[in-house]
Amino acid sequence: MSDHSIDSPAYGLENKPILRVSLVYMLTGFVIFLIMGILGLMMRLDHAGWWVLSPDWFYRIMTLHGAGMVAALLMAAMGGIIAILNKTVKLSARWLWSAYVIYSLSVPFLLYAVLIGGYAGGWTALDPLPYHGLTWGKSAGVMMYVTFLAVGVGFLIYCVHLFDVTRRKAGGVRRALAWEVIFSRKSNATPYEPEVAELAAMATSIIGIVTVFGGILVLAPLFAEAAGLLKSVNPLYSKNFIMLFGHSIANVTIYIAVALVYGLLPVYTKRGGHTTKFVALAWNFTIILVLTPPPHHLYQDFAQPLGLAIIGQVASWSIAPSVLLLTILGNLSYIYRSGMRWAVPSVMIALGFWGWVFGGIGGTIDSAIPANNLLHNTLWVPAHFHAYYLLGVTTFVWGYLFYLISDLSGVKEKASTKIAAWLYGIAGAGFLLVFFLSGADSVPRRYAVHLPEWNLLAAIAVPFVLLTIFSLLWIIWDMMRGLSGAWRNTGAPKLE
Amino acid sequence: MTQKDILIIFLVLSAIWTGIWLKVILSIPNIQAEEEVTANANTLRRRLAFPMIATLIVLLTAVLYWSPYPIFRERTIGKPQVTVNVDSFQWGWVLDTKEIPLNKVVEFNVSSRDVNHGFAIYNPEGRLVTQTQAMPGYVNQLIFKFDEPGEYTIRCLEYCGVSHHAMIATFTVN
Ligand code: HEM
Ligand SMILES: [Cu+2]
């Protein structure tokens, strides 16, 4: 049936226009990530007291950085998975380009909101702040929500397409979700086994569709308010849905990134690549585990019904056993005693599993309601999700991008670039550790002005940030050699 | 439970995890057949699943009991003896008293006039001791007992615009 062969590349070469789309998604995300990283450095320099920004500009930069990073990494991860899907399903370049264009409209909207409109309300745009910013106008707040809308609609188009394609190939949603594998009995006929990437695409597209739907439930009344049709939106309602949207769109990114790992690991370990019962369970749980924890963002809203807080807590803690025992243990067993070949992408994957769990520990602790009472909105929170992102998502996604470019172009990586990859992990871990320490020191997040006694930890973070940037530049320098060759090897639409 | 305890738990778990991860990384050259590794992983999974889930369920109940919601704090701290009303706006706090008695159970009724704010209390050493959100249209009741005298600082912990970091007030406990 399928191309399970472990020696085949971790992307489909047949349909070259799809590979071009994939590269464009990933490179767009990569470039935005680099720029946003510089903005992150600026914020940490401000915290250290070395380059003091005006509060207005600090918060504008914070808004750009948050929104830009989340959107960029989601887009890059989306791009990676289509290259893998291209092996076994027929995707439509037209759909994927449409999603890309609409999604990318978010860039001018965001820039307009922040740079021209003066919007500095944070990427989460928590109602009622965007329309009541005092230093920016209501129209800038509306622009921010339009930015959300562009990302949401672009992502929705992408998800609907993936959903449709994988459902049709499997002959039904349940089969695409590998329920036949999960519920198979020995006696039965061989169950239908979707490719891991197809299963992941089905699971994440369901999450994406629900997420965007949740987003629309809050954007619609907010636009109505802007148009004067509603006096205001209930702030508890809007907070719940904004958090559902924001949390899920950020959280789903790591799972899409993990799907890349399932595709890529076999290249280096000669193991895995099959939709086993545990892999199938992992992806089915993912749907629930992304969509149910968002109430943990409202633990400190005592007006929230207690039941929702409990759901948030139970859901957040359900992630630990299921991710550890299914996804992490499963992937580590592909690596354990496998003779895995070390190369930049495999180093990045190994680092990613370390960082993902590191961030997960921070998150699991913070999602205990009493601990959250002491950590909520301190730097512990960015520490947790930066660990997820910087040492989980980015290592997986850029590892895959590096692989894709070098394999497509045939330009082999330099042996020494592996050092840069390890350096990225070490530097990232140092940066994250002091973030956590700052959080445990009660340093608030989203503060443009820090007390002198908070400066030291931020100052320690700076060299680590510089080192991550240095190691990235080193990796880029190697990756660039293959870029034009890879580009030429994708692309030109086939004559049909 | 303070931030220090939390940090220690975090560092210990992270160290354990790092050890496991290193063991996996260092095992790589020492090749074993995939079937054997998979079988061992499955055994491990089966052995770990129950203890892990059971631990989490036990912890969960404890955690709920120690949660900051009024119905629990009335049990863990006591019924309120003193009431303080707190209002907030961009960018400041309005408290109906600046003096709070030591060792008495205090309830703060926290609300907001405009956007979301975060009512967080920092002790004289600069450590965050408890918090609740200030949401327009709602009153959040935060119960707390101060067992250390001195000047406490209220900081806004929900981003509320460009003077968010300056949204500070103080009160004295004696
Ligand atoms: C070199 C890498 C990075 C550095 C130095 C950096 C630094 C920072 C800093 C200093 C903050 C502000 C913390 C605060 O005061 O609240 C921040 C916030 C944030 N960062 Fe990063 N970051 C980096 C990478 C990333 C990545 C890869 C993501 C991925 C999505 C990301 C997403 C965010 C988000 C969502 C926020 C929250 C903004 C907000 O509170 O509104 N960052 N980052
Ligand atoms: Cu504030």
Side-chain angles (χ1 to χ4, degrees):
Chain A
M1 168 186 73
S2 58
D3 192 5
H4 265 137
S5 154
I6 275 184
D7 296 315
S8 70
Y11 57 90
L13 247 180
E14 284 296 296
N15 195 347
K16 294 201 170 188
I18 297 291
L19 280 181
R20 166 83 41 107
V21 188
S22 164
L23 264 189
V24 169
Y25 271 62
M26 296 191 86
L27 290 170
T28 308
F30 190 57
V31 170
I32 295 177
F33 160 77
L34 293 174
I35 302 167
M36 296 301 128
I38 302 293
L39 299 186
L41 173 65
M42 286 170 69
M43 285 189 281
R44 229 38 192 135
L45 283 170
D46 175 278
H47 290 164
W50 287 342
W51 182 9
V52 179
L53 303 159
S54 73
D56 181 31
W57 273 101
F58 179 92
Y59 293 125
R60 290 200 211 189
I61 286 172
M62 181 188 86
T63 304
L64 286 176
H65 172 85
M69 280 291 194
V70 170
L73 290 180
L74 176 61
M75 177 180 266
M78 286 157 63
I81 189 82
I82 56 186
I84 300 182
L85 283 173
N86 199 28
K87 285 167 83 162
T88 56
V89 293
K90 181 136 181 41
L91 293 165
S92 145
R94 192 174 302 156
W95 271 86
L96 295 171
W97 278 121
S98 318
Y100 178 81
V101 169
I102 294 177
Y103 195 110
S104 302
L105 286 177
S106 61
V107 176
F109 288 137
L110 178 68
L111 291 178
Y112 183 90
V114 173
L115 299 180
I116 298 171
Y119 175 79
W123 82 278
T124 44
L126 181 59
D127 169 60
L129 181 60
Y131 296 167
H132 300 269
L134 302 194
T135 59
W136 63 86
K138 199 167 178 175
S139 63
V142 174
M143 265 308 179
M144 187 62 197
Y145 287 130
V146 175
T147 307
F148 271 42
L149 189 67
V151 169
V153 173
F155 188 43
L156 183 65
I157 293 174
Y158 172 93
C159 287
V160 167
H161 181 53
L162 259 57
F163 179 89
D164 187 49
V165 166
T166 48
R167 181 187 54 89
R168 262 191 287 135
K169 175 167 176 206
V173 175
R174 270 172 292 187
R175 278 158 66 90
L177 285 172
W179 283 18
E180 288 188 6
V181 176
I182 296 176
F183 300 113
S184 73
R185 295 272 140 66
K186 289 232 164 56
S187 54
N188 280 10
T190 33
Y192 174 78
E193 185 192 320
E195 296 291 327
V196 183
E198 296 164 11
L199 168 59
M202 176 48 88
T204 52
S205 64
I206 292 175
I207 297 171
I209 292 166
V210 176
T211 299
V212 175
F213 188 68
I216 288 169
L217 285 181
V218 61
L219 285 180
L222 285 170
F223 286 134
E225 182 189 339
L229 301 172
L230 273 179
K231 210 179 141 287
S232 66
V233 183
N234 176 301
L236 190 57
Y237 171 90
S238 54
K239 188 169 180 183
N240 271 295
F241 281 94
I242 284 175
M243 292 303 164
L244 172 71
F245 181 75
H247 172 97
S248 307
I249 220 159
N251 196 200
V252 76
T253 308
I254 188 134
Y255 293 99
I256 305 181
V258 171
L260 303 181
V261 173
Y262 277 107
L264 192 50
L265 256 186
V267 172
Y268 298 96
T269 61
K270 308 287 171 212
R271 281 190 189 166
H274 290 276
T275 305
T276 63
K277 200 173 262 194
F278 291 117
V279 170
L281 272 177
W283 284 104
N284 279 270
F285 281 149
T286 299
I287 301 175
I288 304 162
L289 295 178
V290 172
L291 293 172
T292 50
H296 66 206
H297 293 274
L298 286 90
Y299 283 158
Q300 304 314 322
D301 284 280
F302 297 0
Q304 171 96 323
L306 181 62
L308 280 173
I310 295 175
I311 290 175
Q313 161 92 66
V314 172
S316 309
W317 276 17
S318 305
I319 300 172
S322 74
V323 169
L324 277 177
L325 295 181
L326 296 171
T327 312
I328 303 280
L329 181 59
N331 278 289
L332 290 188
S333 77
Y334 295 146
I335 297 176
Y336 187 70
R337 301 184 65 177
S338 64
M340 179 170 85
R341 182 163 65 80
W342 286 114
V344 170
S346 58
V347 171
M348 301 283 265
I349 289 173
L351 286 170
F353 283 114
W354 184 81
W356 184 14
V357 176
F358 182 58
I361 295 170
T364 305
I365 291 175
D366 189 26
S367 63
I369 298 169
N372 188 267
N373 191 245
L374 298 176
L375 300 174
H376 184 60
N377 283 345
T378 67
L379 285 182
W380 189 277
V381 181
H384 143 70
F385 67 74
H386 280 79
Y388 247 66
Y389 265 122
L390 197 64
L391 282 186
V393 176
T394 68
T395 51
F396 293 157
V397 178
W398 308 146
Y400 185 78
L401 176 63
F402 190 94
Y403 161 81
L404 189 63
I405 289 177
S406 112
D407 208 76
L408 270 175
S409 63
V411 177
K412 294 264 173 299
E413 69 178 66
K414 290 197 163 73
S416 56
T417 314
K418 283 198 285 290
I419 302 173
W422 283 113
L423 207 57
Y424 183 71
I426 293 165
F431 161 65
L432 293 166
L433 189 63
V434 282
F435 236 171
F436 276 113
L437 294 176
S438 300
D441 206 20
S442 304
V443 181
R445 80 181 275 203
R446 296 176 160 174
Y447 260 37
V449 180
H450 277 205
L451 297 181
E453 58 262 39
W454 298 337
N455 291 159
L456 178 66
L457 285 172
I460 296 172
V462 169
F464 286 116
V465 177
L466 292 174
L467 206 57
T468 41
I469 295 175
F470 169 75
S471 54
L472 261 175
L473 291 176
W474 185 348
I475 293 171
I476 292 170
W477 172 69
D478 196 4
M479 191 165 77
M480 288 298 284
R481 295 180 308 124
L483 192 57
S484 61
W487 184 261
R488 258 180 276 116
N489 216 348
T490 67
K494 256 189 307 197
L495 301 172
E496 298 187 34
Chain B
M1 180 79 112
T2 66
Q3 284 86 345
K4 199 185 252 169
D5 307 310
I6 293 174
L7 183 63
I8 290 170
I9 296 173
F10 171 73
L11 292 175
V12 168
L13 290 176
S14 298
I16 294 172
W17 162 244
T18 306
I20 296 171
W21 179 82
L22 274 176
K23 187 174 145 77
V24 172
I25 298 301
L26 296 175
S27 79
I28 290 173
N30 182 12
I31 298 178
Q32 191 179 33
E34 180 174 4
E35 297 73 45
E36 284 174 49
V37 177
T38 309
N40 291 343
N42 288 347
T43 315
L44 188 63
R45 191 176 270 137
R46 221 165 289 127
R47 290 213 186 119
L48 285 178
F50 180 73
M52 237 173 127
I53 293 169
T55 315
L56 285 175
I57 291 174
V58 172
L59 277 175
L60 198 76
T61 357
V63 152
L64 268 180
Y65 186 70
W66 291 103
S67 70
Y69 305 125
I71 54 161
F72 297 106
R73 283 217 168 152
E74 283 192 356
R75 289 179 180 78
T76 54
I77 296 182
K79 289 242 189 290
Q81 299 160 300
V82 180
T83 301
V84 179
N85 294 310
V86 181
D87 206 0
S88 55
F89 61 94
Q90 286 162 309
W91 288 281
W93 299 99
V94 186
L95 276 75
D96 58 9
T97 175
K98 293 281 268 177
E99 308 269 322
I100 291 177
L102 190 67
N103 286 323
K104 285 255 162 54
V105 182
V106 187
E107 77 172 337
F108 294 95
N109 293 322
V110 184
S111 193
S112 164
R113 292 180 198 163
D114 39 44
V115 300
N116 290 289
H117 300 283
F119 175 76
I121 302 176
Y122 281 67
N123 74 4
E125 285 80 54
R127 189 171 73 75
L128 170 58
V129 290
T130 193
Q131 63 173 307
T132 187
Q133 294 288 112
M135 184 179 265
Y138 291 89
V139 177
N140 288 332
Q141 185 197 14
L142 178 66
I143 295 177
F144 197 70
K145 189 160 85 182
F146 297 92
D147 48 18
E148 185 195 340
E151 191 180 61
Y152 286 70
T153 307
I154 299 164
R155 294 185 182 283
C156 183
L157 280 199
E158 185 61 59
Y159 180 63
C160 57
V162 300
S163 289
H164 162 62
H165 57 275
M167 197 171 146
I168 289 172
T170 57
F171 60 83
T172 318
V173 169
N174 49 34

